[in-house]
DNA sequence: CTTAGCACTTGGTTGGGTAGAGTGCTAAAA
DNA sequence: TTTTAGCACTCTACCCAACCAAGTGCTAAG
C-alpha cells in the first residue's frame, strides 16, 4: 500500500465531500479522479485512513467523510493555495475606492470577504493599546454636560458625554485642556489611566472637582480604546449553507454575538509559516463552534489585528484561505496608505 | 351568529396558535377556552372568519391559522397590553447603570430588547440632520494625513482621515480651524455642505488648496452624520424560533444585513394612537420580510428615531409590544439625562 | 500489493393501510 | 334565527414491509 496514494485518496475524499456534501464511496472516487487503481484498492486505503482516524463512516457501509483530523492533515499538507479568479480580484479591488475612514474601510472589507467566501466574515479592529495620545478636547454641550474627546495618533477617536457637577465656562475648559495635554500628550493608551489621575493636583483649587471628573472621563475613554471590537457580516450565508443539512446554526450565531468568544479565539490562534491560522471543528475550545471552522490571518504588518471567516467544518479550505489572505493583503495595503 | 363571539374565537385562535405553533381546531378551542357553546357552533364561526379572510386552513380539514389580516385585526382590536413582569422590569433597569456614552447605551438597549422578546432587536441611531455644529478639529497624523473631526451639539462625533496634498504645519491647521469655525459654528448639518464650500475663499492663497481639501472632508463628515445607522442583536433568536419549522430564515437575515431596507421600513411605519407601529407579514413592502412582522416605536420624544423587533408573523404581539414600548420609555429617560 | 468477486449491511424510497383530527352539511332542537 | 348533535368525508401523519442502490469487508487469486 503506497503512502502517497493514501494521501491522494484523502485529498480526493475531502474535495469531493466539500463539493457534494455527501459521503463519498470508493467507486465514485475512482470514477471522478483518475487514480490508476481499482475500487478495491481504494477500499483498502480507506480502511487504513479510517484506522488512522482521518476519515469516518456515518453508518456502516456508507461512504466516508473526513474527520476534523482529516481536514487538519488536508490543510497542513495537501492543500495547494489556489490563485483567485479575475472576478474575485475585481471584487476585492472595489475596496480600494472610496474614503479611507477606518470604520468605512473595515465595513466594506468585511462585506467583501463575506461575499467572496459565502461565509460569515469577521474583522477585528486594529488594537490601540500602543497608540499614543495626540489630542484631547473638552466640549460643553448642555448645562453640566461635557463631551470628552480623545484622539490617538492612529486616527482613532473615542468620545463620551460626562456630567460634571456644575456649569463650567468654556474658557475654563480650554485652560484645563491645556493642562491635561501638557501631561498626557504622547503617552500610550496603556499609560493614560495612571497618568491622568495625577493631573487634577496641578489645577487651581476651584477647578479641582471638575478636573477630577474630566480625568475620570478620560480614563474611561482610555479603557474603551483598549477594548477590542470586531465587525461582522454574512450571517445570512450561514443559514443558506446549512438549509439542506439541519445543522445547528443557532449555537454558531450565539457564539458570533458573544464577540468575546471570537476575540479570544482569534487572539489564541497560532499562525503557520504563511501567517494563516485555521481552527477546525473541535480543535476549537468553545463548544458552540464544535461544528465550525475558523480561517483567519492578521492584516497589518506587525500589529496583532486579525480578520477571517467562520464556516462549517466542511468548507472549501483552499479557496477560503486564498480569499482571506488576499483580502488581508489588500486591507493592509489600504491602511498603510 | 354573534359578532362578539366571533371575535373572541379569533382571539382564541391567535393566542393558541402563537403558543402551540400548530393549526387549531374547533374542538380544542372549546376545551381550552370556556366559550359557552359547542364545537359545531365554533365551526360555523370559523367558517365565517375564513370567509372574511381572517383565518385560513393549511389543508382541507385541518385546523385554522390566522392570516396576516387576522393578526392585524387582533393587534388593532383584540390585544390588550400586558404589563411587564417584575423580572422583565429588572432586566430593563440594568440598562440604567453604566456609562451614558451613546454607542454604549444603544448597544445595551438592543441586547436587552433581544433578550426580552427572544427576537431580533434593532435600534436606530438618533437622527442628526437638525443637530448643529459645536466644534471642529483638525489633527495632523502622519505626513500629509489629517484627521478631521466634527462635533455636534448633540454630542455626536464624526471623524475621517483625509490626505491633503502636502505637509502642513500644526499652526496653520489651527489657523484654518479658526476660520472654519467662524463660518460654520451653529449651522445645522444640513446647511454645512453648502456653507463649507465657501470657506476656502477666505484664506490666504498659499493655504487655499489645503483648505479646499479640508472643506471637502468636512462635507463628507456632514454627509456621514446625516446617514442613518442601526444596531442589531439577537439574530440567533431567529434561528432558534424557526428551527422546528423549516421556515425561510435566510431571506430575513438578508434583509437585516441590508440595513437600508430596514431603515426605510422604520421610516415609513405609521404610528397608532399609542405611538406603536406594527407591520405584519405581507403588509411589508419587502418580499424577504413577507413572513416576518416588525414591531416598532420611536424613542426620543419628538425626534424620529425608532427601535423595535423583527420576528415571525406568528409572534406574541401583546408581550412584544409591551416590551418594545417599555424599552423605548427607559431609553428615552436615559437619553434625556 | 492489487484485484475480482461475493456476501452482507444499511439507509432511502415506495406503496398500502390505518388512526386521528378536523371539516362541512343536514336536520332537529331551542 | 341560532345552536347543536350526528355523520360522512377528507386530509395528514405514521407505521410497516418490500425493495433498491450504494457501499463495505473479506477471501482468494493474480
Amino acid at each position: 500500500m503506497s503512502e502517497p496514494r493514501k494521501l491522494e485518496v484523502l485529498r480526493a475524499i475531502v474535495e469531493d465531500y466539500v463539493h457534494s456534501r455527501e459521503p463519498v464511496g470508493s467507486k465514485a472516487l475512482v470514477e471522478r479522479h483518475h487514480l490508476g487503481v481499482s475500487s478495491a484498492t481504494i477500499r483498502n486505503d480507506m480502511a487504513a485512513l479510517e484506522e488512522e482516524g482521518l476519515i469516518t463512516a456515518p453508518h456502516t457501509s456508507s461512504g466516508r467523510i473526513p474527520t476534523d483530523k482529516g481536514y487538519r492533515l488536508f490543510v497542513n499538507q495537501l492543500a495547494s493555495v489556489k490563485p483567485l479568479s479575475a472576478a474575485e480580484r475585481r471584487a476585492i479591488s472595489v475596496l480600494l475606492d472610496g474614503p479611507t475612514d477606518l470604520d468605512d474601510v473595515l465595513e466594506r472589507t468585511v462585506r467583501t470577504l463575506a461575499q467572496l467566501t459565502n461565509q460569515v466574515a469577521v474583522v477585528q479592529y486594529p488594537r490601540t493599546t500602543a497608540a499614543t495620545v495626540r489630542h484631547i478636547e473638552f466640549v460643553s454641550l448642555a448645562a453640566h454636560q461635557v463631551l470628552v474627546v480623545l484622539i490617538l495618533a492612529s486616527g482613532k477617536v473615542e468620545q463620551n458625554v460626562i456630567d460634571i457637577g456644575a456649569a463650567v465656562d468654556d474658557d475654563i475648559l480650554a485652560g484645563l485642556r491645556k493642562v491635561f495635554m501638557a501631561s498626557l500628550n504622547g503617552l500610550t493608551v496603556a499609560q493614560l489611566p495612571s497618568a491622568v489621575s495625577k493631573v487634577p493636583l496641578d489645577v487651581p483649587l476651584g477647578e479641582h472637582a471638575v478636573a477630577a471628573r474630566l480625568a475620570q472621563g478620560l480614563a474611561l475613554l482610555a479603557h474603551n480604546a483598549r477594548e477590542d471590537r470586531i465587525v461582522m457580516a454574512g450571517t445570512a450565508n450561514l443559514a443558506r449553507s446549512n438549509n439542506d443539512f439541519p445543522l445547528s446554526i443557532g449555537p454558531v450565531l450565539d457564539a458570533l454575538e458573544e464577540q468575546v468568544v471570537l476575540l479570544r479565539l482569534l487572539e489564541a490562534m497560532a499562525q503557520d509559516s504563511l501567517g494563516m491560522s485555521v481552527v477546525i471543528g473541535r480543535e476549537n475550545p468553545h463548544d458552540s463552534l464544535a461544528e465550525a471552522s475558523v480561517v483567519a490571518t492578521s492584516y497589518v504588518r506587525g500589529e496583532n489585528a486579525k480578520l477571517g471567516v467562520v464556516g462549517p467544518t466542511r468548507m472549501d479550505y483552499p479557496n477560503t484561505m486564498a480569499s482571506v489572505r488576499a483580502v488581508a493583503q489588500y486591507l493592509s495595503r489600504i491602511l498603510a496608505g
Side-chain angles (χ1 to χ4, degrees), chain A:
Chain A
M1 186 184 309
S2 91
E3 193 66 16
R5 192 193 56 224
K6 228 172 59 187
L7 293 182
E8 198 56 34
V9 169
L10 176 58
R11 160 191 275 139
I13 290 174
V14 170
E15 285 174 358
D16 278 18
Y17 180 62
V18 162
H19 171 261
S20 72
R21 301 183 179 189
E22 274 170 12
V24 23
S26 56
K27 207 164 166 183
L29 225 42
V30 293
E31 279 167 11
R32 289 178 39 87
H33 307 265
H34 36 66
L35 317 153
V37 294
S38 77
S39 67
T41 308
I42 300 299
R43 275 203 290 285
N44 289 335
D45 290 345
M46 288 167 94
L49 287 170
E50 184 161 23
E51 184 70 23
E52 297 171 44
L54 296 169
I55 60 179
T56 185
H59 358 271
T60 317
S61 96
S62 175
R64 307 305 218 297
I65 64 176
T67 61
D68 289 357
K69 193 175 166 192
Y71 285 121
R72 167 55 60 199
L73 194 139
F74 176 80
V75 307
N76 282 0
Q77 302 185 26
L78 304 176
S80 58
V81 188
K82 300 183 183 176
L84 291 189
S85 75
E88 289 170 322
R89 298 215 153 270
R90 217 180 314 123
I92 296 180
S93 72
V94 304
L95 265 181
L96 290 170
D97 302 339
T100 57
D101 174 47
L102 184 63
D103 290 326
D104 238 30
V105 170
L106 294 191
E107 178 73 22
R108 277 175 291 150
T109 301
V110 76
R111 280 178 189 267
T112 305
L113 187 54
Q115 202 186 349
L116 218 49
T117 59
N118 270 308
Q119 272 152 189
V120 182
V122 290
V123 175
Q124 181 184 9
Y125 267 70
R127 314 196 76 192
T128 48
T129 317
T132 56
V133 175
R134 181 69 184 78
H135 196 95
I136 289 170
E137 199 66 47
F138 303 133
V139 181
S140 67
L141 300 175
H144 295 207
Q145 291 204 318
V146 173
L147 177 70
V148 181
V149 183
L150 173 66
I151 300 177
L152 305 177
S154 64
K156 181 154 185 166
V157 178
E158 290 283 336
Q159 81 270 10
N160 194 7
V161 179
I162 65 172
D163 198 313
I164 51 180
V168 173
D169 192 79
D170 274 5
D171 293 339
I172 293 183
L173 278 181
L176 287 172
R177 188 185 91 75
K178 286 222 173 67
V179 176
F180 273 97
M181 269 303 275
S183 301
L184 306 177
N185 195 6
L187 294 186
T188 69
V189 174
Q191 296 168 313
L192 199 140
S194 65
V196 80
S197 62
K198 303 194 187 87
V199 174
L201 305 174
D202 299 342
V203 304
L205 203 61
E207 303 170 8
H208 199 101
V210 173
R213 284 294 294 127
L214 293 175
Q216 205 177 325
L218 279 171
L220 180 64
L221 289 186
H223 178 78
N224 285 350
R226 296 183 64 176
E227 199 170 72
D228 288 329
R229 278 170 44 202
I230 56 182
V231 287
M232 185 163 35
T235 48
N237 293 332
L238 200 57
R240 240 189 305 284
S241 79
N242 284 350
N243 57 358
D244 32 355
F245 257 61
L247 192 55
S248 46
I249 121 171
V252 180
L253 280 175
D254 261 339
L256 292 176
E257 284 209 352
E258 271 305 324
Q259 309 199 337
V260 187
V261 172
L262 255 188
L263 279 168
R264 266 203 217 117
L265 179 58
L266 289 177
E267 194 71 30
M269 284 172 83
Q271 309 207 346
D272 70 6
S273 54
L274 287 113
M276 299 295 299
S277 318
V278 180
V279 172
I280 299 170
R282 297 193 180 281
E283 291 175 5
N284 183 304
H286 210 267
D287 271 357
S288 56
L289 291 176
E291 306 189 46
S293 287
V294 183
V295 175
T297 190
S298 52
Y299 72 82
V300 174
R301 184 183 169 75
E303 299 220 7
N304 205 7
K306 304 227 177 148
L307 106 200
V309 306
V310 180
T313 45
R314 169 201 20 75
M315 72 163 71
D316 183 345
Y317 291 94
N319 272 324
T320 303
M321 290 169 75
S323 296
V324 168
R325 202 172 59 172
V327 168
Q329 284 169 353
Y330 272 86
L331 180 57
S332 299
R333 199 181 307 162
I334 295 169
L335 293 184

